[in-house]
Amino acid sequence: MASRFETASLAGALKFFLKAPGIILQIRKAPGAHGAALRARVLSRTFLTLSAWEDRDALYRFAGSEPHRSGSRKAAAYMKESAFTFWTVPAGELPISWAEAERRLAEQKQK
């Protein structure tokens, strides 16, 4: 899974940036998670995440757990745009490159 978040302001970007490490740590400890990474472009107010999950159920369990659930709700107040894309690959093809994640997010935006 890849996601792209753009905040409406630099202040929002700073809030997102300060909360992101805790969420990445939460992902890494979540049952069914195989890994996660964050690419932060704070000055352009854009953040990319890349994560690998055993299945969608594991991802959805994580998304509904704390602190991710309440953090996502709070972040909605300063978010300009969010995008998500999902695909399946064999474990042997991990990790996925940032270029591949960005390509897939761009394709998702065109749909």
Side-chain angles (χ1 to χ4, degrees):
M1 159 195 185
S3 60
R4 181 183 179 281
F5 302 98
E6 183 180 346
T7 62
S9 67
L10 188 55
L14 292 173
K15 288 178 187 178
F16 191 97
F17 181 72
L18 292 173
K19 294 288 183 184
I23 301 300
I24 294 296
L25 285 174
Q26 181 189 1
I27 293 171
R28 290 181 177 164
K29 294 177 182 179
H34 294 290
L38 169 72
R39 179 169 274 182
R41 298 174 178 149
V42 179
L43 295 179
S44 64
R45 305 180 334 268
T46 304
F47 301 85
L48 303 172
T49 68
L50 189 53
S51 58
W53 298 88
E54 184 175 299
D55 54 30
R56 289 243 186 150
D57 288 339
L59 169 61
Y60 294 148
R61 280 191 303 275
F62 159 76
S65 67
E66 294 299 337
H68 183 269
R69 186 176 73 185
S70 60
S72 295
R73 289 182 180 157
K74 289 176 185 174
Y78 52 82
M79 208 54 65
K80 180 179 178 182
E81 182 179 293
S82 301
F84 305 88
T85 188
F86 307 89
W87 68 101
T88 302
V89 298
E93 293 182 21
L94 296 174
I96 301 297
S97 71
W98 282 111
E100 176 68 7
E102 290 191 74
R103 183 187 70 75
R104 288 178 179 267
L105 284 163
E107 283 179 359
Q108 182 71 21
K109 191 173 184 174
Q110 293 174 359
K111 291 180 182 180

